[in-house]
Amino acid sequence: MSILQDHANAEEAVRMEAYMKNRFSYYGIKAPVRKSLLKDIILQYTPTLTHDSVISIAKALYKKPQRELHYCAMELVDRFLKKKYNIGDIDFIEQLISTNSWWDSVDFIAKHILGKYLLQFPNQIHPVIEGFSNSDKMWLNRSAILFQLGYKDQTDYQLLCSLCEQHKSSNEFFIKKAIGWALREYSKVNPDAVVDFITNTKLKPLSEKEGLKRIRSS
């Protein structure tokens, strides 16, 4: 996507890279501009953006160092594969989560890609999430906890509780935060259930604080 390179901003790139702890290179393109540029590209190439071509493009973009290209890859997948996944795409989704992993990519993939894939194939929820939750890869664990973000009353609350129970002793910041976030999100649907779970479960203080944040502020 040379068009993104044409809009590079070196000064902004330095700020973005610092914010992300210098884990990735950036062109220095802010999100609204990047999304607008991607929209223009999509309009030009829409007829060629099939299921297989989108996956190929996403894999190619993920091999590039610039973080904006990773964002474009995720956004292409979400736009063109939503409700059109093949059951075997879970291997590709796992690859996305496990490659160039950091909270900004993993959180988008967990909610918008993994979550929607599993809505399309609900019989895959338990085998996929069990595998992710038992993985030695922390970002897969986080994805398992977060995939139901946005499910609202479709949330499998017992599954959410079991995942929180499994990981409640973790000292990993991103796991503690994920537990709290997932519980806080579900508190929009059933605050009493979340209060009951937190009251009767020995969570890390960060998880408890995050899980109760919405309830305490209401």
Side-chain angles (χ1 to χ4, degrees), residues 1-4 6-7 29 31-49 72 75-76 79-80:
M1 292 191 179
S2 59
I3 190 171
L4 268 69
D6 293 341
H7 288 77
I29 304 173
V33 177
R34 184 193 78 243
K35 290 176 184 292
S36 177
L37 293 172
L38 180 60
K39 182 179 179 181
D40 291 341
I41 295 169
I42 287 171
L43 287 173
Q44 185 177 354
Y45 293 100
T46 295
T48 68
L49 294 174
C72 287
E75 289 161 5
L76 281 171
R79 174 165 177 173
F80 286 95

PDB file of all heavy atoms in Angstrom, residues 1-4 6-7 29 31-49 72 75-76 79-80:
ATOM      1  N   MET A   1       0.838  -1.197   0.000  1.00  0.00           N
ATOM      2  CA  MET A   1       0.000   0.000   0.000  1.00  0.00           C
ATOM      3  C   MET A   1       0.871   1.245   0.000  1.00  0.00           C
ATOM      4  O   MET A   1       1.036   1.924   1.016  1.00  0.00           O
ATOM      5  CB  MET A   1      -0.942  -0.008   1.196  1.00  0.00           C
ATOM      6  CG  MET A   1      -2.014  -1.071   1.139  1.00  0.00           C
ATOM      7  SD  MET A   1      -3.264  -0.818   2.405  1.00  0.00           S
ATOM      8  CE  MET A   1      -4.376  -2.168   2.060  1.00  0.00           C
ATOM      9  N   SER A   2       1.428   1.539  -1.155  1.00  0.00           N
ATOM     10  CA  SER A   2       2.351   2.671  -1.266  1.00  0.00           C
ATOM     11  C   SER A   2       1.657   3.987  -0.968  1.00  0.00           C
ATOM     12  O   SER A   2       2.312   4.963  -0.589  1.00  0.00           O
ATOM     13  CB  SER A   2       2.955   2.715  -2.673  1.00  0.00           C
ATOM     14  OG  SER A   2       1.942   2.840  -3.656  1.00  0.00           O
ATOM     15  N   ILE A   3       0.320   4.024  -1.115  1.00  0.00           N
ATOM     16  CA  ILE A   3      -0.411   5.253  -0.826  1.00  0.00           C
ATOM     17  C   ILE A   3      -0.227   5.677   0.627  1.00  0.00           C
ATOM     18  O   ILE A   3      -0.192   6.876   0.939  1.00  0.00           O
ATOM     19  CB  ILE A   3      -1.911   5.103  -1.177  1.00  0.00           C
ATOM     20  CG1 ILE A   3      -2.611   6.458  -1.102  1.00  0.00           C
ATOM     21  CG2 ILE A   3      -2.587   4.090  -0.271  1.00  0.00           C
ATOM     22  CD1 ILE A   3      -4.026   6.431  -1.649  1.00  0.00           C
ATOM     23  N   LEU A   4      -0.089   4.713   1.536  1.00  0.00           N
ATOM     24  CA  LEU A   4       0.147   5.060   2.935  1.00  0.00           C
ATOM     25  C   LEU A   4       1.541   5.670   3.098  1.00  0.00           C
ATOM     26  O   LEU A   4       1.723   6.630   3.845  1.00  0.00           O
ATOM     27  CB  LEU A   4      -0.004   3.831   3.838  1.00  0.00           C
ATOM     28  CG  LEU A   4      -1.415   3.607   4.418  1.00  0.00           C
ATOM     29  CD1 LEU A   4      -2.387   3.208   3.325  1.00  0.00           C
ATOM     30  CD2 LEU A   4      -1.388   2.578   5.524  1.00  0.00           C
ATOM     31  N   ASP A   6       3.063   7.390   0.984  1.00  0.00           N
ATOM     32  CA  ASP A   6       3.010   8.747   0.441  1.00  0.00           C
ATOM     33  C   ASP A   6       2.467   9.748   1.466  1.00  0.00           C
ATOM     34  O   ASP A   6       2.690  10.952   1.339  1.00  0.00           O
ATOM     35  CB  ASP A   6       2.134   8.790  -0.813  1.00  0.00           C
ATOM     36  CG  ASP A   6       2.735   8.014  -1.973  1.00  0.00           C
ATOM     37  OD1 ASP A   6       3.958   7.758  -1.935  1.00  0.00           O
ATOM     38  OD2 ASP A   6       1.979   7.634  -2.886  1.00  0.00           O
ATOM     39  N   HIS A   7       1.739   9.258   2.462  1.00  0.00           N
ATOM     40  CA  HIS A   7       1.153  10.128   3.486  1.00  0.00           C
ATOM     41  C   HIS A   7       1.900  10.031   4.820  1.00  0.00           C
ATOM     42  O   HIS A   7       1.374  10.430   5.863  1.00  0.00           O
ATOM     43  CB  HIS A   7      -0.320   9.784   3.690  1.00  0.00           C
ATOM     44  CG  HIS A   7      -1.209  10.206   2.567  1.00  0.00           C
ATOM     45  ND1 HIS A   7      -1.271   9.509   1.371  1.00  0.00           N
ATOM     46  CD2 HIS A   7      -2.052  11.274   2.427  1.00  0.00           C
ATOM     47  CE1 HIS A   7      -2.133  10.106   0.559  1.00  0.00           C
ATOM     48  NE2 HIS A   7      -2.616  11.178   1.169  1.00  0.00           N
ATOM     49  N   ILE A  29       0.599   7.917  10.426  1.00  0.00           N
ATOM     50  CA  ILE A  29      -0.706   8.283   9.871  1.00  0.00           C
ATOM     51  C   ILE A  29      -1.770   8.053  10.941  1.00  0.00           C
ATOM     52  O   ILE A  29      -1.946   6.933  11.425  1.00  0.00           O
ATOM     53  CB  ILE A  29      -1.031   7.445   8.626  1.00  0.00           C
ATOM     54  CG1 ILE A  29       0.080   7.603   7.577  1.00  0.00           C
ATOM     55  CG2 ILE A  29      -2.377   7.846   8.041  1.00  0.00           C
ATOM     56  CD1 ILE A  29      -0.068   6.677   6.388  1.00  0.00           C
ATOM     57  N   ALA A  31      -5.437   7.554  12.713  1.00  0.00           N
ATOM     58  CA  ALA A  31      -6.496   6.602  12.344  1.00  0.00           C
ATOM     59  C   ALA A  31      -7.520   7.149  11.346  1.00  0.00           C
ATOM     60  O   ALA A  31      -7.847   6.448  10.373  1.00  0.00           O
ATOM     61  CB  ALA A  31      -7.201   6.098  13.607  1.00  0.00           C
ATOM     62  N   PRO A  32      -8.055   8.355  11.526  1.00  0.00           N
ATOM     63  CA  PRO A  32      -9.058   8.824  10.556  1.00  0.00           C
ATOM     64  C   PRO A  32      -8.503   8.921   9.132  1.00  0.00           C
ATOM     65  O   PRO A  32      -9.207   8.580   8.166  1.00  0.00           O
ATOM     66  CB  PRO A  32      -9.441  10.209  11.093  1.00  0.00           C
ATOM     67  CG  PRO A  32      -9.122  10.153  12.555  1.00  0.00           C
ATOM     68  CD  PRO A  32      -7.896   9.303  12.647  1.00  0.00           C
ATOM     69  N   VAL A  33      -7.261   9.367   9.000  1.00  0.00           N
ATOM     70  CA  VAL A  33      -6.646   9.467   7.676  1.00  0.00           C
ATOM     71  C   VAL A  33      -6.407   8.074   7.112  1.00  0.00           C
ATOM     72  O   VAL A  33      -6.681   7.803   5.930  1.00  0.00           O
ATOM     73  CB  VAL A  33      -5.331  10.264   7.741  1.00  0.00           C
ATOM     74  CG1 VAL A  33      -4.648  10.291   6.366  1.00  0.00           C
ATOM     75  CG2 VAL A  33      -5.585  11.683   8.230  1.00  0.00           C
ATOM     76  N   ARG A  34      -5.895   7.170   7.954  1.00  0.00           N
ATOM     77  CA  ARG A  34      -5.636   5.800   7.495  1.00  0.00           C
ATOM     78  C   ARG A  34      -6.916   5.135   7.011  1.00  0.00           C
ATOM     79  O   ARG A  34      -6.944   4.489   5.956  1.00  0.00           O
ATOM     80  CB  ARG A  34      -5.037   4.972   8.637  1.00  0.00           C
ATOM     81  CG  ARG A  34      -4.647   3.552   8.219  1.00  0.00           C
ATOM     82  CD  ARG A  34      -4.362   2.665   9.394  1.00  0.00           C
ATOM     83  NE  ARG A  34      -5.575   2.182  10.030  1.00  0.00           N
ATOM     84  CZ  ARG A  34      -5.926   2.469  11.269  1.00  0.00           C
ATOM     85  NH1 ARG A  34      -5.177   3.253  12.014  1.00  0.00           N
ATOM     86  NH2 ARG A  34      -7.050   1.979  11.786  1.00  0.00           N
ATOM     87  N   LYS A  35      -7.985   5.286   7.752  1.00  0.00           N
ATOM     88  CA  LYS A  35      -9.260   4.673   7.368  1.00  0.00           C
ATOM     89  C   LYS A  35      -9.786   5.261   6.064  1.00  0.00           C
ATOM     90  O   LYS A  35     -10.362   4.544   5.231  1.00  0.00           O
ATOM     91  CB  LYS A  35     -10.284   4.857   8.492  1.00  0.00           C
ATOM     92  CG  LYS A  35      -9.986   4.037   9.741  1.00  0.00           C
ATOM     93  CD  LYS A  35     -10.982   4.343  10.849  1.00  0.00           C
ATOM     94  CE  LYS A  35     -10.657   3.607  12.134  1.00  0.00           C
ATOM     95  NZ  LYS A  35     -10.846   2.154  12.019  1.00  0.00           N
ATOM     96  N   SER A  36      -9.592   6.556   5.885  1.00  0.00           N
ATOM     97  CA  SER A  36     -10.024   7.197   4.645  1.00  0.00           C
ATOM     98  C   SER A  36      -9.223   6.692   3.451  1.00  0.00           C
ATOM     99  O   SER A  36      -9.781   6.413   2.379  1.00  0.00           O
ATOM    100  CB  SER A  36      -9.880   8.719   4.766  1.00  0.00           C
ATOM    101  OG  SER A  36     -10.233   9.360   3.559  1.00  0.00           O
ATOM    102  N   LEU A  37      -7.920   6.538   3.637  1.00  0.00           N
ATOM    103  CA  LEU A  37      -7.073   6.026   2.563  1.00  0.00           C
ATOM    104  C   LEU A  37      -7.442   4.577   2.227  1.00  0.00           C
ATOM    105  O   LEU A  37      -7.498   4.190   1.056  1.00  0.00           O
ATOM    106  CB  LEU A  37      -5.601   6.111   2.966  1.00  0.00           C
ATOM    107  CG  LEU A  37      -5.024   7.523   3.117  1.00  0.00           C
ATOM    108  CD1 LEU A  37      -3.620   7.456   3.711  1.00  0.00           C
ATOM    109  CD2 LEU A  37      -4.995   8.248   1.773  1.00  0.00           C
ATOM    110  N   LEU A  38      -7.699   3.785   3.263  1.00  0.00           N
ATOM    111  CA  LEU A  38      -8.075   2.392   3.040  1.00  0.00           C
ATOM    112  C   LEU A  38      -9.412   2.317   2.302  1.00  0.00           C
ATOM    113  O   LEU A  38      -9.585   1.473   1.408  1.00  0.00           O
ATOM    114  CB  LEU A  38      -8.160   1.639   4.371  1.00  0.00           C
ATOM    115  CG  LEU A  38      -8.543   0.162   4.283  1.00  0.00           C
ATOM    116  CD1 LEU A  38      -7.530  -0.620   3.458  1.00  0.00           C
ATOM    117  CD2 LEU A  38      -8.667  -0.448   5.686  1.00  0.00           C
ATOM    118  N   LYS A  39     -10.333   3.193   2.649  1.00  0.00           N
ATOM    119  CA  LYS A  39     -11.634   3.219   1.972  1.00  0.00           C
ATOM    120  C   LYS A  39     -11.456   3.478   0.474  1.00  0.00           C
ATOM    121  O   LYS A  39     -12.094   2.834  -0.362  1.00  0.00           O
ATOM    122  CB  LYS A  39     -12.516   4.293   2.596  1.00  0.00           C
ATOM    123  CG  LYS A  39     -13.904   4.375   1.993  1.00  0.00           C
ATOM    124  CD  LYS A  39     -14.731   5.455   2.687  1.00  0.00           C
ATOM    125  CE  LYS A  39     -16.116   5.567   2.063  1.00  0.00           C
ATOM    126  NZ  LYS A  39     -16.932   6.637   2.727  1.00  0.00           N
ATOM    127  N   ASP A  40     -10.563   4.420   0.154  1.00  0.00           N
ATOM    128  CA  ASP A  40     -10.307   4.722  -1.260  1.00  0.00           C
ATOM    129  C   ASP A  40      -9.729   3.511  -1.993  1.00  0.00           C
ATOM    130  O   ASP A  40     -10.100   3.219  -3.140  1.00  0.00           O
ATOM    131  CB  ASP A  40      -9.341   5.903  -1.383  1.00  0.00           C
ATOM    132  CG  ASP A  40      -9.972   7.215  -0.926  1.00  0.00           C
ATOM    133  OD1 ASP A  40     -11.210   7.280  -0.857  1.00  0.00           O
ATOM    134  OD2 ASP A  40      -9.211   8.160  -0.630  1.00  0.00           O
ATOM    135  N   ILE A  41      -8.814   2.808  -1.317  1.00  0.00           N
ATOM    136  CA  ILE A  41      -8.204   1.622  -1.919  1.00  0.00           C
ATOM    137  C   ILE A  41      -9.254   0.540  -2.137  1.00  0.00           C
ATOM    138  O   ILE A  41      -9.305  -0.111  -3.184  1.00  0.00           O
ATOM    139  CB  ILE A  41      -7.051   1.105  -1.029  1.00  0.00           C
ATOM    140  CG1 ILE A  41      -5.923   2.136  -0.977  1.00  0.00           C
ATOM    141  CG2 ILE A  41      -6.522  -0.230  -1.560  1.00  0.00           C
ATOM    142  CD1 ILE A  41      -4.870   1.841   0.076  1.00  0.00           C
ATOM    143  N   ILE A  42     -10.114   0.350  -1.136  1.00  0.00           N
ATOM    144  CA  ILE A  42     -11.163  -0.659  -1.231  1.00  0.00           C
ATOM    145  C   ILE A  42     -12.094  -0.374  -2.405  1.00  0.00           C
ATOM    146  O   ILE A  42     -12.463  -1.278  -3.170  1.00  0.00           O
ATOM    147  CB  ILE A  42     -11.960  -0.736   0.089  1.00  0.00           C
ATOM    148  CG1 ILE A  42     -11.107  -1.403   1.175  1.00  0.00           C
ATOM    149  CG2 ILE A  42     -13.263  -1.501  -0.099  1.00  0.00           C
ATOM    150  CD1 ILE A  42     -11.714  -1.336   2.565  1.00  0.00           C
ATOM    151  N   LEU A  43     -12.480   0.884  -2.569  1.00  0.00           N
ATOM    152  CA  LEU A  43     -13.362   1.256  -3.676  1.00  0.00           C
ATOM    153  C   LEU A  43     -12.736   0.913  -5.032  1.00  0.00           C
ATOM    154  O   LEU A  43     -13.427   0.518  -5.967  1.00  0.00           O
ATOM    155  CB  LEU A  43     -13.676   2.753  -3.611  1.00  0.00           C
ATOM    156  CG  LEU A  43     -14.639   3.186  -2.495  1.00  0.00           C
ATOM    157  CD1 LEU A  43     -14.733   4.705  -2.436  1.00  0.00           C
ATOM    158  CD2 LEU A  43     -16.019   2.582  -2.691  1.00  0.00           C
ATOM    159  N   GLN A  44     -11.428   1.031  -5.086  1.00  0.00           N
ATOM    160  CA  GLN A  44     -10.723   0.762  -6.338  1.00  0.00           C
ATOM    161  C   GLN A  44     -10.625  -0.725  -6.632  1.00  0.00           C
ATOM    162  O   GLN A  44     -10.667  -1.151  -7.785  1.00  0.00           O
ATOM    163  CB  GLN A  44      -9.325   1.385  -6.277  1.00  0.00           C
ATOM    164  CG  GLN A  44      -8.532   1.287  -7.562  1.00  0.00           C
ATOM    165  CD  GLN A  44      -7.187   1.994  -7.465  1.00  0.00           C
ATOM    166  OE1 GLN A  44      -6.892   2.660  -6.478  1.00  0.00           O
ATOM    167  NE2 GLN A  44      -6.362   1.836  -8.492  1.00  0.00           N
ATOM    168  N   TYR A  45     -10.499  -1.532  -5.550  1.00  0.00           N
ATOM    169  CA  TYR A  45     -10.211  -2.959  -5.759  1.00  0.00           C
ATOM    170  C   TYR A  45     -11.315  -3.898  -5.277  1.00  0.00           C
ATOM    171  O   TYR A  45     -11.104  -5.117  -5.249  1.00  0.00           O
ATOM    172  CB  TYR A  45      -8.899  -3.322  -5.050  1.00  0.00           C
ATOM    173  CG  TYR A  45      -7.683  -2.674  -5.660  1.00  0.00           C
ATOM    174  CD1 TYR A  45      -7.114  -1.537  -5.093  1.00  0.00           C
ATOM    175  CD2 TYR A  45      -7.109  -3.190  -6.817  1.00  0.00           C
ATOM    176  CE1 TYR A  45      -5.998  -0.937  -5.653  1.00  0.00           C
ATOM    177  CE2 TYR A  45      -5.986  -2.601  -7.389  1.00  0.00           C
ATOM    178  CZ  TYR A  45      -5.446  -1.474  -6.802  1.00  0.00           C
ATOM    179  OH  TYR A  45      -4.337  -0.879  -7.374  1.00  0.00           O
ATOM    180  N   THR A  46     -12.470  -3.383  -4.922  1.00  0.00           N
ATOM    181  CA  THR A  46     -13.537  -4.217  -4.355  1.00  0.00           C
ATOM    182  C   THR A  46     -13.811  -5.505  -5.135  1.00  0.00           C
ATOM    183  O   THR A  46     -13.942  -6.581  -4.529  1.00  0.00           O
ATOM    184  CB  THR A  46     -14.841  -3.411  -4.211  1.00  0.00           C
ATOM    185  OG1 THR A  46     -14.634  -2.366  -3.248  1.00  0.00           O
ATOM    186  CG2 THR A  46     -15.987  -4.296  -3.753  1.00  0.00           C
ATOM    187  N   PRO A  47     -13.905  -5.476  -6.472  1.00  0.00           N
ATOM    188  CA  PRO A  47     -14.223  -6.723  -7.198  1.00  0.00           C
ATOM    189  C   PRO A  47     -13.203  -7.842  -6.984  1.00  0.00           C
ATOM    190  O   PRO A  47     -13.542  -9.023  -7.158  1.00  0.00           O
ATOM    191  CB  PRO A  47     -14.241  -6.266  -8.665  1.00  0.00           C
ATOM    192  CG  PRO A  47     -14.537  -4.804  -8.619  1.00  0.00           C
ATOM    193  CD  PRO A  47     -13.833  -4.314  -7.396  1.00  0.00           C
ATOM    194  N   THR A  48     -11.988  -7.485  -6.620  1.00  0.00           N
ATOM    195  CA  THR A  48     -10.944  -8.505  -6.443  1.00  0.00           C
ATOM    196  C   THR A  48     -10.833  -8.990  -5.006  1.00  0.00           C
ATOM    197  O   THR A  48     -10.058  -9.913  -4.730  1.00  0.00           O
ATOM    198  CB  THR A  48      -9.575  -7.960  -6.893  1.00  0.00           C
ATOM    199  OG1 THR A  48      -9.151  -6.921  -5.989  1.00  0.00           O
ATOM    200  CG2 THR A  48      -9.646  -7.405  -8.297  1.00  0.00           C
ATOM    201  N   LEU A  49     -11.605  -8.378  -4.103  1.00  0.00           N
ATOM    202  CA  LEU A  49     -11.456  -8.702  -2.685  1.00  0.00           C
ATOM    203  C   LEU A  49     -12.367  -9.871  -2.309  1.00  0.00           C
ATOM    204  O   LEU A  49     -13.413  -9.710  -1.672  1.00  0.00           O
ATOM    205  CB  LEU A  49     -11.736  -7.463  -1.831  1.00  0.00           C
ATOM    206  CG  LEU A  49     -10.710  -6.335  -2.007  1.00  0.00           C
ATOM    207  CD1 LEU A  49     -11.128  -5.086  -1.252  1.00  0.00           C
ATOM    208  CD2 LEU A  49      -9.311  -6.788  -1.565  1.00  0.00           C
ATOM    209  N   CYS A  72      -4.684  -2.088   8.789  1.00  0.00           N
ATOM    210  CA  CYS A  72      -5.419  -2.246   7.526  1.00  0.00           C
ATOM    211  C   CYS A  72      -5.789  -3.706   7.288  1.00  0.00           C
ATOM    212  O   CYS A  72      -6.902  -4.010   6.836  1.00  0.00           O
ATOM    213  CB  CYS A  72      -4.584  -1.723   6.361  1.00  0.00           C
ATOM    214  SG  CYS A  72      -4.453   0.090   6.284  1.00  0.00           S
ATOM    215  N   GLU A  75      -8.715  -4.623   9.525  1.00  0.00           N
ATOM    216  CA  GLU A  75      -9.944  -3.967   9.094  1.00  0.00           C
ATOM    217  C   GLU A  75     -10.491  -4.581   7.805  1.00  0.00           C
ATOM    218  O   GLU A  75     -11.710  -4.690   7.630  1.00  0.00           O
ATOM    219  CB  GLU A  75      -9.688  -2.470   8.945  1.00  0.00           C
ATOM    220  CG  GLU A  75      -9.494  -1.785  10.305  1.00  0.00           C
ATOM    221  CD  GLU A  75      -8.799  -0.433  10.216  1.00  0.00           C
ATOM    222  OE1 GLU A  75      -8.548   0.043   9.086  1.00  0.00           O
ATOM    223  OE2 GLU A  75      -8.493   0.136  11.279  1.00  0.00           O
ATOM    224  N   LEU A  76      -9.596  -4.993   6.918  1.00  0.00           N
ATOM    225  CA  LEU A  76     -10.036  -5.687   5.698  1.00  0.00           C
ATOM    226  C   LEU A  76     -10.713  -7.008   6.037  1.00  0.00           C
ATOM    227  O   LEU A  76     -11.767  -7.343   5.484  1.00  0.00           O
ATOM    228  CB  LEU A  76      -8.844  -5.938   4.783  1.00  0.00           C
ATOM    229  CG  LEU A  76      -8.350  -4.764   3.937  1.00  0.00           C
ATOM    230  CD1 LEU A  76      -7.023  -5.120   3.267  1.00  0.00           C
ATOM    231  CD2 LEU A  76      -9.384  -4.377   2.883  1.00  0.00           C
ATOM    232  N   ARG A  79     -14.143  -6.393   7.598  1.00  0.00           N
ATOM    233  CA  ARG A  79     -15.133  -5.886   6.646  1.00  0.00           C
ATOM    234  C   ARG A  79     -15.591  -6.941   5.648  1.00  0.00           C
ATOM    235  O   ARG A  79     -16.791  -7.072   5.369  1.00  0.00           O
ATOM    236  CB  ARG A  79     -14.569  -4.687   5.892  1.00  0.00           C
ATOM    237  CG  ARG A  79     -15.497  -4.205   4.777  1.00  0.00           C
ATOM    238  CD  ARG A  79     -15.169  -2.847   4.269  1.00  0.00           C
ATOM    239  NE  ARG A  79     -16.048  -2.468   3.169  1.00  0.00           N
ATOM    240  CZ  ARG A  79     -16.078  -1.277   2.604  1.00  0.00           C
ATOM    241  NH1 ARG A  79     -15.281  -0.325   3.056  1.00  0.00           N
ATOM    242  NH2 ARG A  79     -16.888  -1.018   1.590  1.00  0.00           N
ATOM    243  N   PHE A  80     -14.659  -7.712   5.118  1.00  0.00           N
ATOM    244  CA  PHE A  80     -14.994  -8.591   4.000  1.00  0.00           C
ATOM    245  C   PHE A  80     -15.280 -10.039   4.386  1.00  0.00           C
ATOM    246  O   PHE A  80     -15.885 -10.771   3.611  1.00  0.00           O
ATOM    247  CB  PHE A  80     -13.902  -8.533   2.931  1.00  0.00           C
ATOM    248  CG  PHE A  80     -13.925  -7.258   2.139  1.00  0.00           C
ATOM    249  CD1 PHE A  80     -13.118  -6.200   2.495  1.00  0.00           C
ATOM    250  CD2 PHE A  80     -14.779  -7.098   1.064  1.00  0.00           C
ATOM    251  CE1 PHE A  80     -13.149  -4.996   1.795  1.00  0.00           C
ATOM    252  CE2 PHE A  80     -14.827  -5.914   0.347  1.00  0.00           C
ATOM    253  CZ  PHE A  80     -14.012  -4.853   0.715  1.00  0.00           C
TER     254      PHE A  80
END
